[in-house]
Structure formats: C-alpha cells, structure tokens
C-alpha cells in the first residue's frame, strides 16, 4: 500500500489536521506506531499514546481536545474505530487475490452443479448432487460431500471437510480444517458390555453470514438438524454436538464445546474454553464467562461463571472469599478457642 | 424413506395399536414430531409429549398404560429405545452409499497391500508397506503412512492423517481430520537453555470396534505403544498423549485431554473438557465429571469432580458452601463481634 | 535394530558392567523391560525396577551403588537420561526414511521458489511467491499459501495449511492438520445488531527451532504479527489468537488457548487446557498450572493456578479448605448455637 493521507481522508470522510501529503504505507496499533503508518484512537485509555506515537497519521474522534502536542497528522471522524475498520476493509478488498475458475486437478462429480463464477482449488473433491452457488470459493484440498448445498459468496478454506447433506447459506466463511456434518456422538450400551451406534441421520444447517474459524467440529443431528443461525461467529476449535441450535448473532470464543440438543439464544456471548452440557437452554444476550461449565438453563441477559456455572456476581464474590479461606478457617479456630477452653474446664 | 407403519412394525417385531397403513417418511424426536414422522418414547419424563405429538407413529413400551388419548399410532415393543435404534440402523444401512474401488487419483505405493473390496477415495496417499484389509473404506484426501496396518471393515474419513507404524484393528471408524500417530510431546532441557527432542519411536495401536470423532489427536509412544482397547468411543477433539492406555469400552467426551503414560481402566466415563495428568491410573468404571482436572489415581467405580478432582459428593457439597461464602464470612464476622467488644472493653 | 551392547556403549561413551556381547533389538521403559531390550534409570524413584527388570541392558549413572543384584548388563554414564536420548536420536536418524524430490502430483505455482533438496509430497499445493529453503520437507496434502517463506531443514507434515504471508524460520517442525495464519477472530458490532469483520492484515512469524504439534491453530495478526520466538514447543491442539507473542523456549501443553495480543515471556511453562485472556503479559519463567484461567498479568517466576488464576500456594491452601467447607460451615453453626440460645432467651 502507498497512499497520501488526503486520499485516505477522502475515503473515510475525515477532516485533516496536519500534513495531508505524507505517504502512508502500513497500518499499526497506536502504541506500536512507526513512521508512514496510520493508526486510530478509539479508547480514551490509550490517549497518552497519541502524544508519543511515531505513526504518521492517527484517526481520532471529532470530539477529541488535545491535551498535548502530537507529531501525527490527525484524521478527525465521528467514530474512529469504524472508520479505521472501513479503511482496513477497503484495503483488504483491493489486495485480495482473485480466485477464479475450477482447477483441472479438482474432482467434481458429474451430478454436482457449480453455478457461475465458482472457484474450486486443487485436489478438492465435490461429490454427487452437491450444489455450489455463484461467487463461492472452494479452496484447495476441501471435501464437499453428497448433496451438500453451499450458497452464494461463501469462502471455504483449504482442508475443510463437509459431510453429505449439509446445507450452507450465503456469505458463509469456513476456515481451514474445520469439519462440518460428521455424525454426532451417539451410542447406547448393549448387552455385551459394549455400545451400539445410534445412527446420525440428521444434518447441519448453517445460515447466512456465519463465520467459522479453523479446526471447528460441527456434528450433524441424530435426526432433524444442528442449526447455526445467521450472523453467528465461531472462533477456532469450537465443538458443537448433534442437534445443537445457535441463535442469531451469537459469538463463541475459541475451544468452547456445546453438548447435544442444547439451544443457545440470540446475541449470546460465550467466552473461550467454556463447556455447556446437553439438553439445556441459554437465553438471549446471556454471557458465559470463559472456562465456565454450564449445567443448567441460563436466563435472558444472565451472566454466569464457574464450574458448575452460577450467577457471575455471586461467583466473583465467593471467589474473593475462596482466596481467603485460610484466614477464614483461622478466624473460626480463634473463635473456637474460648469455647474449647470452656468445654475443657 | 417411505414406508407403511405395518412394514416398520414387522421389522422391529412390534404390535400395532392404531392405523397400520399410514405412511412414514421421516424420523423425529417426540417433542418435535410432525405428520408422517415416527418417534419413540423411552424416558417416562417425556410421556406428556405422547398426548400432544403430531408424529404419526410412536414406538412405546409394551408396559405403557395410556393416561390420555393420543393421535399417534403406537408400536408396542419390549425396549422402545433399542427398537428405534435398530430401525435407524436398518435405514442407515439401506441408504449408505456404496464405496467401491480405488480412485485413479489416489497415490498408492507399489509395496502397499490392499485386500479385497477396499475403497480408496480421491487424492489419498498410501505409503509403502501399508496393509489395508478387506471391506475397508479409505475416503478422500487421507494419508496412510509407511507400514500402517488397517483391519477389516474400517472407515477412515476425509482428511485423516495416520503416521507410519500405526496398527488398527477391525471395524474401526475414524472421522475427518483426526491425526493418529504423530510423535508425542517429548523434550528435555539442554545446556543452551533450550530443549532437545526425545525421539518418539513407539506406535499407536487401536483395537477392534473403536470409534474416533473428528479432529482428535492420538500421539505415538516414546517407545512401546499408545493403546486404545476395543470398543472405546472418543468424541471430537480428544487428545491422547504418548503411551496412554485406554481400557475396553471406555467413553470419552469431546475436548478431553489425557497426558502421557496414564492408564485408563475399562468402562470409564469421562466428561467433556476433562484433563488428566500423566503417569496416573484411573480404575474401571470410574466417572470423571466434565471439565475436571484429575491429578491423582482414581479408584474403581470412583466418581470425581473439580480441579484438582476430588470425590464427587464432597465436591458437590463444598460447592454449595462455596456459593454461600459471602454469608459464611458474614456469619463469622457476626460471631467475632462480641469477642471484639469484649476485647475492647 | 540389532546391536551388541558394546557397540551402543561405544556410541554413548559408557563403561560396561556385565555381558557386552548380548544383542539389543528394542528400547523400553525400565518397568516394562523385556529380553534384548535396553532401558535407562535416571530417576532414583525407579531404582527398584533395576533389580527386577527383564531388560538386557540398562543405562545408569556412574554414581549408582547397587543395593541388590541385577540381571541386566549396566552401561555407566555421567547422565543416563541424556545418554538414552542421544541413543534414541542416533537410532531415529538412522531409520528415518529419506524424503527427496518433488512428487509429480504436487501443484507448485511457477513463481514459487524451491531451493535445493526440498521434498514436496503428493497433492501438496504451493502458491505463487512462496519460497521454500533447502532441505525442507513439505509432506503430502499440505497447503502453502502465497508468499509464504519456510526456512531450511523444516518438516511440514501431511494436512498442514499455511495461509499466505506466513514467515517460518529454520528447523521448524509442524505436525499434521495444524493451521497457521488464518485470520484472527475480529468483529465489531454494527448498527443492524450483527457484526462487521475487522480485516486481519498482519501475519504469523515463527522463528527457528520451533516445534508445533498436531491440529494447532495459530492466527495471523490484525496488523503487525503474531510471533512465536525461537525454541518454543507447542503440544497438540494449542490455539494462539491474533497478535500473540510467545517468548523464547516457552513450552505450552495440549489444548491451551491464548487470546489476542497477550505477550508470553521466555521459558514460561504452561500446563494443558490453560486459558489466558487477551492483552496481558506473562513474565519470564512463569508457571501456569493446567486448566488455569489467567486474567491478569503474571510476574517473572510467578506460579499461578485456578480460574481466575491466583498465586499457586494460595490456591493450593484455599483448595484444601474448599474440600472441608462442609465441616467449616458446621463449625460455624456450632459456634452460633450458644448465641442463638442466648438470643432466644
């Protein structure tokens, strides 16, 4: 990249304070700013960096009143974070390689349907009956099983494996080595002391605008469906068991696992490495702290922590006392002292 | 699928109460039953759904006495859950695509031996000295290292990577992107402040009827073997370190990790996201609750929870008091009150 | 393998006590020693096994004074563990298959540069602008994105996916199905109640002598870099988010996750399934116990445990009292008894 500050200001509708002709050739965080870099200041907590940064340009709020001098040229906007994100997206779109055509080494079944402008990378396999809609990128070494439907404008990255019957909406992104639609974990004890498999005949449905990180595992339903509603964002190594339902715009951080048939509401925030047992319901806009183990229903807007997870405030307060249990025990021993003496007398 | 209720009743040996001629075209859970669906009632907890379900047929126990009317045709059997599972298995077998032949794009070393009716999918690699026994399916994009032995009737799904020397029994299923036989995590500090690798020269042995989920990692032994005994069921993203031993018919839920050289008994149940340290033993039929961190031997039949894991009942009772630590502390402060006054006087 | 004890003694510079002509054909742990095997005794805790082992040879310390008779031939050295590791490494090097040449099925872009003695396995994809330096092994079915640089003497195992722009040093090992350089998890809420993507324009830098296990996910930076410094060892299924920095010779056990922008010092030891929140710093040589959830900075040399993680000793002591909360509560109730009586009077 190589732009004048004025060009950038024009894209994001910013007022320039300082030299508009300087050249910008990279992005950076404000605390790591270097010459010819552009950064942003959204969180007032970081304002001090504005006066010490070596960044050539900083996107700031219109409201900001400078407390000291800054060497940086300022780009003043309504919402600095959004403006910076908009700039990043424009730049990303400009540099994104164009993925076109079907690699001659891809193995595509004669009954699979690829609509217009579909990309298929090397050594990918698309099985019979699959339907890939327009402008979707199927990158190298992916596996698309029988009768899988993938909507428009999706990106499926190298190594993703999608089992037969999975239905995926539009603008869905799935990162490398995630596995979608493998059978759920269903076994019933048999009379030999072992287990019989419960066939997993359902499917996975992923709605529009879902993002799935690397190495996630989303199992198909026993019957019916495992469903990820529109706008959901999954970080890496997330595990969703059979028949899980995730509501719209819910965000799940890395390494979280959700057991079978659990229903998660809309706009729920789930921290990393959380675990949620099967057959429960998590209400809309609930917050599950990282590493919590949820074993009961969680209400709308409720915030929980701990294993088993309880009300967040209760957990936090109890944990303060947990750290002081040695002294609490000592205080009780102290109180017991006169009693014991009394008893001994 | 499209069957008359009577046909299904004949397969599972059920007595029909209601219309035997209705058409069944899908399976469902009883609480989600819809017209032309078949469901089952095994858990008395769900009996109320029997009187409200829209399912056309429900498999129920011979023992059941109806408390209200139901619209559904009943199929009465000894064990409704088993009968339903049997029906699912029959259906699954009927619809399973036939995997035959070796894809011309597979790379198979000239010294690899493929017995009768082996399937090898596109872009799979089978290295020298490997031996794949009859009726085994090696799906697309898998890697089978040197001298790997895979028994009869196995299913190895797309993206599985099996390092050289691994030995796999019969009827083993391994789902997508699992990695079997990578070297264990062995390093010893050296005089430069860094680490030297401890070569991992052992192997992984997987016995008959083992099921392994997606994206598991099973490391090979330093020397000797990492062994998964027959009938073991692993959910997704399970990690087994070098020299781990898992006894027969043990079940391990998703995202659990077991450190090096630990021995797990038979019929142990391990919940999700549990962690077990190295060099310990877990007795037969022990139960490890989800997210527990086990740091000591666990006895036969013992049930543990917590990090570090302790007796389950003790943990549960202590946790109730943990939730009340604020009030316990307040009670102690209350008790201290008169003492303090006394002291002050 | 098939060696005389004397040969082995010569390699590792050991003094032989016992029969130097016996044949050794395998390695084993001392407690599992069998005839014609060689083992070692480093930990005095295992000395009893020396007198009962069936191993034909045992490497022991020069300092060892036998308390009983042993059937095994002894190889006396300064440091038995190092000598055994040295022997294992020599053996491993001798048996390692030679990987040479570029498989004709690999897809290598015309602008990619492969230096001397590079191996590329079947169905691997190397995109434009990539640069693979000499003596590096790119195993089957891997994906090397645009402009990726991989140094000398690296080993990249089947199924690894490396996104464009990643920079890897020399002697780096990456095991199967790990994903390097996928975009970090960055979304900002938008006015529609959903999320906009924050483009992730940075990269991953991996320095020399790093080892990465199977199925790890290392995300690229938002801008700038996610960096793994030299000598770092990652076990399986480790997750590193965008802009994480890992200092030299730090060791991270399996299934640990580190959130965005966190800085880990040198020689830190992190147990399995630990989680570390974003934007904090962990000092050099700190120790994070397994399953801990770290939510604040950790000092140099500090050892922490718990969720949220606190000082290790405090946690351990508090946990002892946690196990006894039922009795602590009972003791408080006992103390309350006379007061209540008093109150009642």
């Amino acid at each position: 990249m190589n732009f004048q500050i004025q060009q950038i200001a024009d894209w994001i509708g910013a007022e320039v304070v300082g030299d508009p002709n300087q050249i910008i050739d990279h992005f950076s965080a404000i605390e790591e700013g270097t010459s010819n870099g552009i950064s942003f200041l959204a969180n007032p907590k970081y304002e001090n960096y504005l006066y010490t940064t070596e960044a050539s340009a900083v996107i700031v709020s219109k409201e900001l009143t400078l407390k000291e001098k800054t060497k940086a040229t300022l780009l003043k906007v309504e919402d600095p974070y959004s403006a910076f994100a908009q700039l990043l997206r424009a730049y990303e779109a400009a540099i994104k390689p164009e993925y076109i055509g079907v690699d001659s080494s891809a193995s595509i079944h004669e009954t699979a349907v690829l609509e217009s402008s579909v990309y298929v990378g090397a050594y990918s396999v698309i099985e019979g009956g699959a339907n890939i809609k327009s402008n979707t990128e199927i990158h190298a070494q992916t596996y698309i099983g029988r009768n899988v439907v993938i909507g428009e404008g999706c990106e499926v990255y190298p190594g993703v494996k999608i089992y037969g019957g999975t239905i995926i909406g539009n603008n869905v992104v799935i990162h490398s080595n995630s596995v979608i639609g493998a059978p759920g974990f269903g076994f019933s004890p048999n009379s030999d002391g072992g287990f019989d498999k419960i066939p997993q005949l359902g499917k996975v449905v992923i709605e529009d605008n879902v993002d799935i990180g690397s190495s996630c595992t989303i199992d198909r339903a026993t019957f019916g469906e495992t469903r990820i509603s529109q706008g959901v964002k999954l970080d890496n190594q997330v595990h969703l068991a059979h028949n899980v339902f995730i509501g719209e715009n819910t965000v799940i951080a890395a390494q979280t696992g959700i057991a079978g048939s659990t229903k998660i509401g809309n706009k729920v925030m789930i921290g990393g490495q959380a675990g949620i047992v099967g057959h429960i319901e998590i209400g809309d806009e609930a917050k599950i702290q990282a590493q919590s183990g949820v074993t009961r229903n969680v209400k709308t807007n409720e915030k929980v922590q701990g294993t088993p997870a309880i009300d967040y405030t209760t957990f936090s307060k109890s944990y303060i006392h947990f750290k002081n249990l040695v002294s609490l025990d000592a205080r009780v021993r102290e109180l017991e002292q006169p009693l014991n003496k009394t008893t001994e007398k």
Side-chain angles (χ1 to χ4, degrees), chain A residues 293-338:
Chain A
V294 184
T295 58
R296 54 135 172 107
N297 292 345
V298 172
K299 294 193 195 103
T300 295
N301 262 308
E302 196 180 350
K303 187 174 177 184
V304 298
Q305 183 166 15
T307 304
I310 59 175
D311 167 68
Y312 171 74
T313 306
T314 304
F315 180 88
S316 301
K317 287 184 177 166
S318 283
Y319 199 72
I320 289 166
H321 291 288
F322 169 79
K323 291 188 268 189
N324 290 315
L325 277 180
V326 169
S327 90
L328 183 66
D329 183 79
R331 284 159 59 200
V332 173
R333 252 183 297 120
E334 179 71 16
L335 288 164
E336 288 168 333
Q337 211 64 351

Side-chain angles (χ1 to χ4, degrees), chain A residues 76-143:
Chain A
K76 294 188 152 193
V77 298
E78 200 78 48
D79 178 346
Y81 186 72
S82 292
F84 191 69
Q86 183 192 335
L87 180 62
L88 292 175
R89 276 191 294 272
Y91 178 70
E92 185 181 49
I95 62 163
K96 187 175 197 272
E98 200 182 14
Y99 290 103
I100 41 169
V102 174
D103 193 281
S104 63
S105 75
S107 166
I108 298 173
H109 193 272
E110 55 182 6
T111 63
V113 175
L114 274 56
E115 301 191 356
S116 64
S117 306
V118 164
Y119 166 74
V120 183
Y123 313 124
S124 279
V125 173
I126 301 183
E127 299 279 20
N131 180 358
I132 316 293
K133 298 196 193 297
S134 53
N135 298 307
T136 278
E137 300 169 5
I138 304 294
H139 287 262
Q141 302 157 332
T142 57
Y143 177 84

Side-chain angles (χ1 to χ4, degrees), chain A residues 257-262 275-280 293-296:
Chain A
I258 302 181
S261 299
T262 281
I276 304 184
V277 301
H279 297 274
I280 66 171
V294 184
T295 58
R296 54 135 172 107

Side-chain angles (χ1 to χ4, degrees), chain A residues 18-278:
Chain A
D19 175 5
N21 299 319
Q22 253 186 289
I23 296 300
I24 294 301
D25 63 11
H26 69 279
F27 302 100
S28 77
I30 191 166
E31 68 271 29
E32 293 166 347
T34 47
S35 185
N36 299 109
I38 184 165
S39 189
F40 72 105
L41 173 65
N43 188 335
K45 198 169 99 177
Y46 294 113
E47 187 180 330
N48 281 336
Y49 289 117
L50 184 59
Y51 311 118
T52 57
T53 188
E54 297 293 323
S56 296
V58 180
I59 301 173
V60 299
S61 166
K62 276 178 170 171
E63 314 295 317
L64 182 79
T65 322
L66 289 184
K67 294 195 191 107
E68 298 178 35
K69 275 197 171 170
T70 170
K71 285 187 291 185
T73 294
L74 302 182
L75 289 83
K76 294 188 152 193
V77 298
E78 200 78 48
D79 178 346
Y81 186 72
S82 292
F84 191 69
Q86 183 192 335
L87 180 62
L88 292 175
R89 276 191 294 272
Y91 178 70
E92 185 181 49
I95 62 163
K96 187 175 197 272
E98 200 182 14
Y99 290 103
I100 41 169
V102 174
D103 193 281
S104 63
S105 75
S107 166
I108 298 173
H109 193 272
E110 55 182 6
T111 63
V113 175
L114 274 56
E115 301 191 356
S116 64
S117 306
V118 164
Y119 166 74
V120 183
Y123 313 124
S124 279
V125 173
I126 301 183
E127 299 279 20
N131 180 358
I132 316 293
K133 298 196 193 297
S134 53
N135 298 307
T136 278
E137 300 169 5
I138 304 294
H139 287 262
Q141 302 157 332
T142 57
Y143 177 84
I144 311 294
R146 292 179 198 222
N147 303 318
V148 167
V149 177
I150 302 184
E152 297 180 8
C154 294
E155 300 167 39
V156 179
Y157 282 92
V160 168
K161 311 300 177 191
I162 303 180
Y163 282 60
T166 300
I167 308 292
I168 297 177
N170 302 320
N171 303 313
V172 170
V173 177
I174 307 177
H175 283 290
S176 281
N177 286 349
S178 281
V179 178
I180 316 293
F185 193 61
F187 298 93
S188 59
N190 64 26
S191 51
D192 304 336
F195 295 90
D196 291 331
K197 236 166 269 198
I198 308 295
Q200 304 288 310
L201 301 168
K203 60 173 178 276
V204 171
V205 179
I206 300 175
E207 298 183 1
D208 297 350
N209 301 314
V210 167
D211 280 78
I212 296 177
S214 304
S215 298
C216 291
T217 57
I218 319 289
D219 284 351
R220 72 173 185 257
T222 309
F223 27 82
E225 37 179 71
T226 302
R227 180 175 285 261
I228 304 181
S229 302
Q230 58 163 308
V232 166
K233 308 299 173 196
L234 304 185
D235 199 348
N236 298 338
Q237 297 186 34
V238 169
H239 162 71
L240 304 183
H242 44 188
N243 294 84
V244 162
F245 175 92
I246 310 285
E248 294 180 12
N249 294 317
T250 279
V251 174
I252 304 182
Q255 298 181 317
T256 282
I258 302 181
S261 299
T262 281
K263 288 185 173 29
I264 311 284
N266 300 327
K267 296 192 182 184
V268 174
M269 310 280 285
I270 305 180
Q273 297 181 334
I276 304 184
V277 301

